[in-house]
C-alpha cells in the first residue's frame, strides 16, 4: 500500500491518496480543487491509476475537486447514498466493502456533521485482515469532533445526537491502535479546537480528545454545541457549488 496525505493549510484541509501499487489501483479521498495536479502527479509516480474517488460528505468549506478529478481519470466517484447532489455518483451504504487491489475500504455511515457523512476504514490484506487506518472526514478530528450546526439551528440538536451515536457507537468501537486521519486540522472552520497535527489514533483520541470525555449523551450534545463560532458566510455558496454538476464550468 502507498499512502499520501495532501494538506491545504489556508483552510486546514487534508485529502488523501492511497492504494495498491501491486495491482495498480489508487483511491483519492476528499480531493481539493486546488490539488488536482498533485493527485495526478502522485499517481504517475506510483505508476498506478486513480480508479476510485470518495467524498466523506458534501463539503462546505472548499471547492471539491471530485468531479473534475473523476472526469480526468474516469475513476468512479463515491458518496453516501443520502447525498443530495445534482450529478451522478456511485452510492455508498453503511457496511459496504470496496476492494482496491489488495486493499479494501469499509464504509461506516457516521451522520452528525452532515447527514451524508461517512468514515472509511482501510486495510491491506497482504499483511493482515486487521484494518490499518480510518479516514474520519469531518466526524472525528484530532482534538475535536465535527460541528453539528451547519444545517440550520432547528436541526442542530438532532445532528449532535446523531454525532454521539456515530462517534461512540461506531468510531470508538474500533481498535485503539487504528490510525486516524481527518479531513481537517488547525485552521479549519469545521471544528473548534483541532490540533495542528493532522493524524492520531483511536486510542489517543479516546483518552485525550475533550469531546470524547463526555460519555453521557446529553452532556455530549450540550458540549458540541458550545462555543461554536458562526459558520463563515461563504459556506452556503461553496456547499451549493459542490452540490451542483461542475464539469463544463470554468475552473
Ligand atoms: Fe464539512
Amino acid at each position: 500500500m502507498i499512502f499520501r496525505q495532501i494538506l491545504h493549510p489556508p483552510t486546514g484541509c487534508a485529502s488523501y491518496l492511497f492504494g495498491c501499487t501491486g495491482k495498480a489501483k489508487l483511491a483519492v479521498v476528499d480531493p481539493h480543487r486546488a490539488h488536482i495536479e498533485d493527485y495526478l502527479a502522485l499517481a504517475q509516480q506510483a505508476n498506478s491509476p486513480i480508479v476510485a474517488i470518495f467524498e466523506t460528505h458534501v463539503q462546505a468549506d472548499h471547492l471539491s475537486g471530485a468531479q473534475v478529478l473523476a472526469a480526468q481519470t474516469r475513476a468512479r466517484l463515491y458518496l453516501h447514498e443520502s447525498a443530495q447532489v445534482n450529478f451522478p455518483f456511485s452510492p455508498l451504504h453503511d457496511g459496504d466493502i470496496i476492494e482496491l487491489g489488495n486493499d479494501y475500504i469499509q464504509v461506516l455511515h457516521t451522520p452528525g456533521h452532515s447527514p451524508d457523512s461517512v468514515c472509511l476504514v482501510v486495510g491491506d490484506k497482504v499483511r493482515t485482515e486487521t484494518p490499518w487506518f480510518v479516514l474520519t472526514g469531518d466526524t472525528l478530528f484530532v482534538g475535536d469532533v465535527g460541528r453539528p450546526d451547519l444545517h440550520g439551528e432547528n436541526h442542530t440538536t438532532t445532528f449532535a445526537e446523531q454525532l454521539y451515536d456515530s462517534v461512540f457507537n461506531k468510531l470508538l468501537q474500533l481498535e485503539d491502535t487504528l490510525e486516524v486521519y481527518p479531513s481537517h486540522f488547525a485552521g479549519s472552520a469545521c471544528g473548534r479546537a483541532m490540533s495542528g497535527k493532522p493524524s492520531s489514533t483511536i486510542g489517543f483520541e479516546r483518552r485525550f480528545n475533550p469531546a470524547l470525555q463526555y460519555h453521557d449523551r446529553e452532556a455530549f450534545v450540550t458540549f458540541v454545541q458550545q462555543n461554536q463560532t458562526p459558520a463563515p458566510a461563504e459556506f452556503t455558496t461553496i456547499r451549493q457549488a459542490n452540490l451542483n454538476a461542475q464539469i463544463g464550468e470554468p475552473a
Side-chain angles (χ1 to χ4, degrees):
M1 178 185 312
I2 67 157
F3 176 84
R4 303 286 183 268
Q5 185 182 48
I6 298 96
L7 302 179
H8 189 78
T11 50
C13 293
S15 54
Y16 298 90
L17 176 142
F18 64 90
C20 175
T21 49
K23 294 192 174 166
K25 288 177 194 281
L26 300 179
V28 174
V29 174
D30 287 338
H32 200 291
R33 183 75 82 90
H35 291 279
I36 299 281
E37 296 305 322
D38 296 330
Y39 310 125
L40 295 173
L42 288 168
Q44 197 168 23
Q45 284 167 24
N47 210 16
S48 301
I50 296 166
V51 300
I53 298 166
F54 296 86
E55 288 273 54
T56 58
H57 61 299
V58 177
Q59 314 276 345
D61 68 304
H62 67 272
L63 198 55
S64 166
Q67 293 182 62
V68 173
L69 189 62
Q72 291 195 16
T73 58
R74 299 185 183 279
R76 193 181 275 248
L77 172 53
Y78 296 93
L79 286 102
H80 187 254
E81 58 178 329
S82 66
Q84 304 284 319
V85 297
N86 304 312
F87 54 86
F89 66 96
S90 297
L92 297 171
H93 315 90
D94 188 53
D96 280 356
I97 294 178
I98 291 146
E99 306 277 342
L100 191 72
N102 294 321
D103 303 346
Y104 66 88
I105 298 145
Q106 185 192 350
V107 178
L108 301 180
H109 182 214
T110 51
H113 171 67
S114 66
D116 61 332
S117 284
V118 293
C119 293
L120 303 171
V121 177
V122 180
D124 180 339
K125 287 179 287 189
V126 171
R127 286 184 62 190
T128 170
E129 295 290 327
T130 302
W132 289 26
F133 58 88
V134 56
L135 301 169
T136 53
D138 286 20
T139 300
L140 175 63
F141 299 124
V142 181
D144 203 356
V145 291
R147 56 191 298 173
D149 62 327
L150 295 183
H151 297 269
E153 271 175 34
N154 297 341
H155 304 290
T156 302
T157 301
T158 306
F159 281 123
E161 288 169 351
Q162 292 178 355
L163 189 63
Y164 178 90
D165 291 331
S166 294
V167 168
F168 283 94
N169 299 333
K170 287 197 170 162
L171 285 176
L172 291 186
Q173 300 303 312
L174 300 169
E175 297 250 1
D176 275 351
T177 50
L178 198 67
E179 294 177 356
V180 167
Y181 293 101
S183 291
H184 293 294
F185 57 103
S188 164
C190 290
R192 299 165 297 187
M194 288 178 231
S195 172
K197 178 181 179 292
S199 65
S200 185
T201 61
I202 289 290
F204 193 87
E205 293 311 301
R206 190 194 307 279
R207 286 181 66 187
F208 300 117
N209 186 315
L212 305 193
Q213 308 317 306
Y214 291 90
H215 297 256
D216 177 72
R217 186 187 181 91
E218 231 170 275
F220 176 89
V221 166
T222 302
F223 176 77
V224 297
Q225 295 183 70
Q226 286 168 348
N227 303 322
Q228 291 290 2
T229 51
E234 67 270 21
F235 269 27
T236 308
T237 46
I238 294 172
R239 185 163 186 276
Q240 191 56 51
N242 288 333
L243 288 167
N244 290 341
Q246 295 168 359
I247 303 305
E249 285 178 10

